[in-house]
Amino acid sequence: MFRRVLFLLVLPAAGWAAGPTAAETARAVRDAGLDLDQCYRVRDLSLYKEDIRLYFNDGYLIFSKPVSGERIAAIFTGDVEGGDGEILLLPPQRGERQSLARFTGSPNLNEHFHTALLMFTDGSGRALLESIERQGSGRKVPEMGPLLAERWTPVVANILDSFAPRIAGDLLSPGRTDGLFLAALGGRKLGNFDVLYDPTAPEQILAGQLMERNQRVVYDVWTSFVARRFRTGSVAPPEPPFSLNKFNIDASLDENLRLRATTRASLKVGALPRRAFAFEVSRAEQVTAARIDGAPAELLIRESTRSRALRADENDVFLLTSPDFLAPGTVHQVEFEHEGALITNYGNGVYSVGGRSNWYPRSGSAFADYDLVFRYPKRLTLVTPGDIVADHLDGEWRVAERRIPVPIRVAGFNLGEYEKSSATVAGLTVDVFGNRGLDPALQPPPRIDTITRVVQDNPRAPRREVLTTIVQNVPPPDPLARLTTVATDVSACFQYFTALFGPPPLKVLTVSPIPGTFGQGFPGLVYLSTLSYLDPKERPPSTRSATLQTFFSDLMVAHEVAHQWWGNIVTSKSYQDEWLLEALAHYSALLWLEKKKGSKALEEVMADFQADLLKTGADSETVESSGPVTWGYRLEAAKSPEAYRVITYEKGAWVLHMLRKRLGNDRFLKVLAELRRQFQFRSVGTADLLDLVKKSAPPGASAESLEAFFDNWIYSTGIPTLHVRYSVKGKAPSWKISGTVEQSAVDENFSVDIPVEIQFAKGATQTVWVRTSNEPASFSATLKQPPSRVGIPAGASVLAARK
C-alpha cells in the first residue's frame, strides 16, 4: 500500500554541523508555547500555498515561540466583531471534485472559518510576519497575548505533539526548501478540517477530516492531488531521500512464537547529505536498537492518532538518526534489532502471521536482494521464498537459510503444521502446503434435533410438546480435501500466465494457508484462504452461493498467482495506481476461468460484478458512486463497507474487460505482455497504461476516444443506462439504418464509446461504435440486408444497464 508518510526528510548541504539530537529537537517542538509579544490584530492578510488560498480577513494572529530559530506555529481567531477567515481550494481533476462534493456538498472548497491553527516548517511564519510589516495588514496587540495563550496553548501543544517527528526532522535540516504546511481550520459550516501542503508527498495537497467511525479513528480524505507547480512540470517530483538494498534478516521464533530479529540492509544516501531516515515497521513490533556502520544510532519513535489515521495502515513510522550528516551517494550499513508477537495461534496447529509486509523495518517498496535465516520450533514447517542455502536441526529447533536469487519488493514467510503437494512442469515448481488440522472457525456448529408430540388437551387449539432435544456434533470438514486439486490448479495457471506474460520472478512458487476469507500474493509466496482447501459442499453455508464457490475454488487461487507478475514484477507508482495491479490480477484470473470453463463462466462473473456495483444503500446511492478506482485506500472511508473491494477489484476488472473488447483480444494481450516487458522491476502508473493502449489502438479508435474512456471509467464514476432507438429504410441490396443511443443515470460530462451490434439472419454481425453524450448520439450505416436485431451487445460487453 502507498500511504501518505509525513516524515520523509530533506536534509542540508554539506558543511552543516550536526547540532542537537532528534529527541532533543522533538522535545523542544512539543514544549514550544505561544509568544505573547508576537500577537497581532490582522486585516486583509493572505497566504498562498500553490493551489491553497488562505485569507485572514479580520481577527487576531499569535505566533509560537521560535524553535531552533524558527517559528513553527500560529493561531488565528476571528473572535472579534465581524471576524472571519476564508479558504479557497479548487481541485483540478473531475474525480477529485466529485470526491470533495461527496464530503462537503460542493466540488470546490470555499469555506469561511472562525479559527485556524497553522503549523509550518516551510518559512510560512516568516512570510506572514513580513506581510504584516510590509503591507501594514496588522498591528501588535500584546495585551491580547495572555488571553489567547491561556486558551490556545494546550491546543497548539497537542497538534505539535502529533507531528513532532516530522517537525524535528525538518528543523534538523537547515537550508531546506520543502517543509510542511498544515492548516487545521474551524469551518463555519463544515466543522473542523485540515488542509495540508507537503512537497515531499506524491500528491502534495490534501484536504480532509479526522473522524470516528465504528469505534475507530479514521481520516476522511476529501481531496488529494498534485500541486500546480508539479502538475505543470516546472518542478520535478522529489527523488527518494535514500534507497535500500541487500537485506539480511536473521530471525528466531521462540516456543511461544514471539519473533526476535536482526535486520541489516545497505542504505545509499540520495542527492543531498542526510542525518535522518524514515522507516516503517508493523505496529505489533518494537524496534529496540539501531546502528549505522556498526555505531549506535538514535531512534525517534513517536506516533499520534492523527498521523496514524492519515496513513490509514497498520504500521508505525520511526526516524533513524545519525550523529553526523552522511554524504550524498555514500553507502552505509544499517542494522535494527526488533521483536514482537506477530504470530496468532488459532488452535489445531493453525497459525496466522501478522504484519506480513512490514514484519521488518522497511522504507518504500523498491526491489532489493534478500538473504533470510529463520530459527523456529522443529514441530512446525516454515515456508519462505528463495534457494535453500542451509536447512538443519539444532536440538529442538530447525534452522533454515534462504537466498532469493532475484530482487524482490518484499519478503514474507508463513508457518504451521502442514502437509505438502508438489508439481513441476517445464522448469516451474509449485509447492502447496495445507493445514493438517481444521481452522476452528470452520468447524460446523452442532446439529440440534427436537422431538415433539401433538397434545390434544384443548380440541380447539392443539399444541406441540417438546419431548427431547438431541444435540449431535457434525463431523468436521477435511482441511486437506482439495490439497492436490489446488496444487494442480496453481501449477496449470502458473504455466498459463507464464505463456501470456513471460517468466515469473521466481521459478518456485510456494502456496500456504491463512485463516480468513482473503489471500495475498508475495514474491514466490502465496497466502491462500483456508476455505479454498475445503470441499465446496463442506464450506460454511454463508459461502455456498455459486458466486462465492467460484471465488474460493477458482478466482482466488488464480488471482494470487497472477500477483507474481502484477505486484511483484511490476509495481504501482502511487496509491492511485494500486487499482491497476489488483485489476490486472483479477482479470488475469478471469482469463484463466474463461480458459477452463468457457466464456459463459466469465460472463456470469462479470454480471455478478455489475450487480455488486449497482447495489444501492439506504441513501439510494450505488456502491460504484462511492468513488473512482483511482482512490485506492480512500474508498475505505465510503458509506458502503464493500466499496473498496467492489470498485478496486470488480470495477477494475470491468475496465480491463471493456478495453479488451475495444482493442480486440490479440491487441489486448499484447498490451499486457508489453506492460510487463517495459515495467519489469519498475513501477507503473495509470497514464503508462493509457500510452500503451493508444499505441495498440485498432482502426477507428482515436487517441481522444481512448482518453475519454480513461477519464470516464477510471478517473470518474458513473454507470450509464443505455437506450437504443433505430429505424430501417430502403430495399435490397441497399438498406439504410439510422438511430440514436441515449444515456441516463450519469452526469452530463460522461461520454464513452459504446458498441452497437447489428445482427442479421445470415452473415457476420456488424458493429458500429457510438460516442455517447448528454444528448442522444446518432449513428447510421448502409446494409446489404435488413437487420434481425440492433442493440448493445448482450452479456458482458459494456458496463451499463439497458432499457
Side-chain angles (χ1 to χ4, degrees):
M1 280 284 187
F2 286 83
R3 309 295 197 193
R4 180 176 294 269
V5 177
L6 293 173
F7 309 127
L8 294 180
L9 310 177
V10 176
L11 295 164
W16 290 91
T21 66
E24 291 168 344
T25 306
R27 192 177 307 115
V29 167
R30 291 193 295 269
D31 295 341
L34 294 173
D35 190 339
L36 305 187
D37 189 50
Q38 292 295 315
C39 181
Y40 297 84
R41 175 69 183 270
V42 296
R43 289 188 177 90
D44 301 326
L45 178 66
S46 60
L47 180 66
Y48 294 173
K49 287 290 171 185
E50 296 289 328
D51 300 75
I52 302 168
R53 300 287 187 266
L54 283 166
Y55 304 97
F56 308 99
N57 299 324
D58 195 0
Y60 295 111
L61 183 66
I62 184 170
F63 292 85
S64 71
K65 296 174 184 177
V67 178
S68 297
E70 184 167 341
R71 300 187 188 276
I72 57 174
I75 286 284
F76 169 83
T77 173
D79 193 14
V80 298
E81 185 177 352
D84 182 53
E86 185 178 2
I87 182 169
L88 185 62
L89 181 66
L90 310 178
Q93 292 95 12
R94 176 176 156 201
E96 291 303 323
R97 293 192 292 272
Q98 288 178 331
S99 175
L100 187 59
R102 182 164 297 277
F103 286 103
T104 69
S106 172
N108 299 315
L109 182 59
N110 186 358
E111 174 79 348
H112 289 264
F113 55 84
H114 50 77
T115 54
L117 192 159
L118 309 178
M119 186 197 75
F120 33 71
T121 59
D122 63 346
S124 289
R126 291 192 303 273
L128 285 169
L129 285 168
E130 289 171 3
S131 293
I132 291 171
E133 181 178 348
R134 185 176 61 252
Q135 299 174 7
S137 51
R139 59 181 176 83
K140 273 194 175 184
V141 285
E143 68 276 9
M144 290 298 300
L147 295 174
L148 294 174
E150 181 180 5
R151 179 181 176 185
W152 292 104
T153 293
V155 179
V156 173
N158 180 60
I159 196 76
L160 292 179
D161 188 48
S162 295
F163 293 97
R166 169 60 190 265
I167 299 171
D170 283 358
L171 294 176
L172 290 171
S173 315
R176 69 190 176 280
T177 59
D178 54 0
L180 177 70
F181 176 83
L182 170 73
L185 305 172
R188 296 193 181 276
K189 293 181 180 179
L190 300 175
N192 297 331
F193 65 96
D194 302 330
V195 177
L196 185 76
Y197 174 64
D198 182 2
T200 67
E203 292 178 333
Q204 297 80 26
I205 291 178
L206 176 146
Q209 190 172 48
L210 198 65
M211 299 288 289
E212 185 172 333
R213 187 176 296 117
N214 299 325
Q215 298 182 329
R216 287 185 58 212
V217 176
V218 298
Y219 201 91
D220 285 343
V221 177
W222 294 354
T223 184
S224 178
F225 54 89
V226 176
R228 179 179 290 110
R229 62 175 174 152
F230 295 94
R231 293 198 305 271
T232 60
S234 59
V235 175
E239 292 293 326
F242 64 97
S243 60
L244 297 171
N245 197 7
K246 298 181 180 177
F247 279 86
N248 188 307
I249 304 175
D250 193 336
S252 65
L253 294 163
D254 64 19
E255 191 58 38
N256 296 317
L257 301 184
R258 182 176 180 84
L259 181 138
R260 292 179 174 83
T262 300
T263 293
R264 301 176 181 87
S266 175
L267 181 151
K268 184 176 181 180
V269 181
L272 296 173
R274 303 184 186 279
R275 266 187 76 196
F277 305 87
F279 285 82
E280 288 187 72
V281 72
S282 168
R283 203 166 294 165
E285 285 200 82
Q286 301 82 45
V287 180
T288 57
R291 287 171 283 276
I292 298 177
D293 295 331
E298 183 186 13
L299 289 168
L300 180 59
I301 305 171
R302 184 171 183 83
E303 284 279 46
S304 69
T305 300
R306 184 183 294 264
S307 61
R308 282 174 169 168
L310 268 166
R311 289 200 314 281
D313 59 25
E314 297 300 320
N315 303 319
D316 276 345
V317 171
F318 65 91
L319 293 182
L320 172 70
T321 307
S322 169
D324 301 303
F325 291 111
L326 305 183
T330 56
V331 178
H332 304 269
Q333 183 81 4
V334 294
E335 181 178 325
F336 302 98
E337 294 178 15
H338 51 102
E339 61 180 85
L342 291 171
I343 314 297
T344 300
N345 184 346
Y346 285 87
N348 288 349
V350 177
Y351 301 89
S352 177
V353 178
R356 288 175 294 278
S357 61
N358 276 87
W359 60 275
Y360 57 95
R362 299 172 56 217
S363 182
S365 297
F367 291 92
D369 298 319
Y370 282 82
D371 284 343
L372 307 172
V373 178
F374 289 94
R375 188 175 188 270
Y376 58 96
K378 70 177 184 180
R379 61 186 170 83
L380 299 175
T381 299
L382 186 144
V383 295
T384 193
D387 297 336
I388 298 174
V389 176
D391 199 324
H392 63 273
L393 292 176
D394 181 9
E396 295 301 309
W397 309 93
R398 178 172 289 278
V399 179
E401 184 176 351
R402 301 289 185 268
R403 177 166 295 139
I404 301 175
V406 298
I408 59 173
R409 64 179 183 86
V410 61
F413 73 96
N414 204 1
L415 81 167
E417 297 177 11
Y418 294 149
E419 292 289 339
K420 174 184 174 183
S421 179
S422 298
T424 299
V425 179
L428 298 178
T429 297
V430 168
D431 293 327
V432 177
F433 293 83
N435 290 316
R436 294 191 186 111
L438 180 69
D439 177 355
L442 301 179
Q443 172 65 48
R447 187 174 69 242
I448 300 176
D449 296 324
T450 302
I451 299 176
T452 64
R453 68 172 183 173
V454 177
V455 179
Q456 298 283 355
D457 51 1
N458 183 347
R460 294 184 178 181
R463 60 186 177 84
R464 286 191 171 276
E465 180 179 73
V466 176
L467 296 178
T468 185
T469 298
I470 301 173
V471 179
Q472 293 182 313
N473 290 326
V474 178
D478 179 2
L480 297 170
R482 298 185 70 248
L483 179 66
T484 302
T485 301
V486 170
T488 301
D489 201 40
V490 170
S491 179
C493 70
F494 200 35
Q495 298 289 327
Y496 176 66
F497 294 149
T498 299
L500 288 181
F501 312 133
L506 297 167
K507 292 186 177 181
V508 177
L509 178 62
T510 300
V511 179
S512 59
I514 188 168
T517 58
F518 66 96
Q520 279 185 294
F522 281 30
L525 177 64
V526 165
Y527 299 90
L528 188 63
S529 169
T530 47
L531 286 164
S532 293
Y533 291 82
L534 301 186
D535 185 314
K537 300 186 191 67
E538 295 189 312
R539 290 174 184 156
S542 61
T543 66
R544 289 182 191 166
S545 68
T547 298
L548 289 178
Q549 294 287 33
T550 298
F551 176 71
F552 287 113
S553 294
D554 299 300
L555 291 182
M556 177 182 281
V557 174
H559 174 104
E560 302 306 342
V561 171
H563 269 312
Q564 295 306 298
W565 288 264
W566 313 122
N568 293 316
I569 289 180
V570 178
T571 62
S572 57
K573 285 184 175 177
S574 76
Y575 80 89
Q576 293 214 359
D577 303 307
E578 285 182 356
W579 78 272
L580 180 54
L581 301 183
E582 294 298 347
L584 284 165
H586 219 42
Y587 197 69
S588 297
L590 288 167
L591 291 173
W592 172 240
L593 179 70
E594 184 181 41
K595 178 176 174 59
K596 282 200 309 180
K597 297 185 176 181
S599 59
K600 184 178 178 182
L602 180 144
E603 289 189 358
E604 289 174 351
V605 173
M606 300 307 291
D608 288 339
F609 287 177
Q610 177 167 325
D612 288 344
L613 288 160
L614 290 173
K615 283 180 183 175
T616 56
D619 57 0
S620 300
E621 296 288 332
T622 65
V623 174
E624 190 273 342
S625 69
S626 298
V629 294
T630 53
W631 282 6
Y633 77 94
R634 290 163 57 184
L635 291 167
E636 295 169 2
K639 293 178 182 178
S640 169
E642 295 292 299
Y644 174 79
R645 178 188 63 81
V646 170
I647 293 172
T648 302
Y649 292 76
E650 299 183 1
K651 185 180 180 183
W654 256 109
V655 167
L656 295 177
H657 186 65
M658 290 187 290
L659 272 179
R660 179 186 177 193
K661 294 294 184 181
R662 190 68 182 97
L663 299 179
N665 188 66
D666 291 344
R667 285 189 176 90
F668 175 75
L669 293 179
K670 286 179 181 178
V671 165
L672 299 192
E674 186 64 16
L675 191 71
R676 178 256 161 86
R677 189 191 70 79
Q678 283 194 25
F679 294 94
Q680 175 170 299
F681 302 123
R682 295 172 52 207
S683 58
V684 68
T686 305
D688 298 316
L689 175 63
L690 174 58
D691 288 341
L692 285 177
V693 167
K694 285 180 181 178
K695 293 174 183 176
S696 302
S702 66
E704 180 189 6
S705 69
L706 295 170
E707 289 168 0
F709 179 99
F710 273 62
D711 186 44
N712 288 280
W713 291 119
I714 296 175
Y715 295 112
S716 302
T717 62
I719 297 177
T721 297
L722 301 175
H723 187 197
V724 177
R725 304 174 188 272
Y726 71 95
S727 61
V728 180
K729 297 180 180 180
K731 58 183 180 179
S734 179
W735 298 85
K736 179 76 172 181
I737 184 172
S738 58
T740 60
V741 178
E742 299 177 13
Q743 71 177 19
S744 57
V746 288
D747 68 39
E748 62 181 12
N749 296 315
F750 193 94
S751 175
V752 292
D753 286 355
I754 296 296
V756 175
E757 280 190 353
I758 305 171
Q759 299 176 358
F760 306 96
K762 296 180 180 180
T765 297
Q766 185 173 334
T767 300
V768 177
W769 288 88
V770 182
R771 174 76 64 86
T772 67
S773 71
N774 61 339
E775 299 290 337
S778 60
F779 67 91
S780 62
T782 301
L783 315 173
K784 293 183 178 180
Q785 57 179 310
S788 59
R789 181 187 177 279
V790 178
I792 309 299
S797 58
V798 63
L799 181 56
R802 298 162 177 81
K803 281 188 176 180

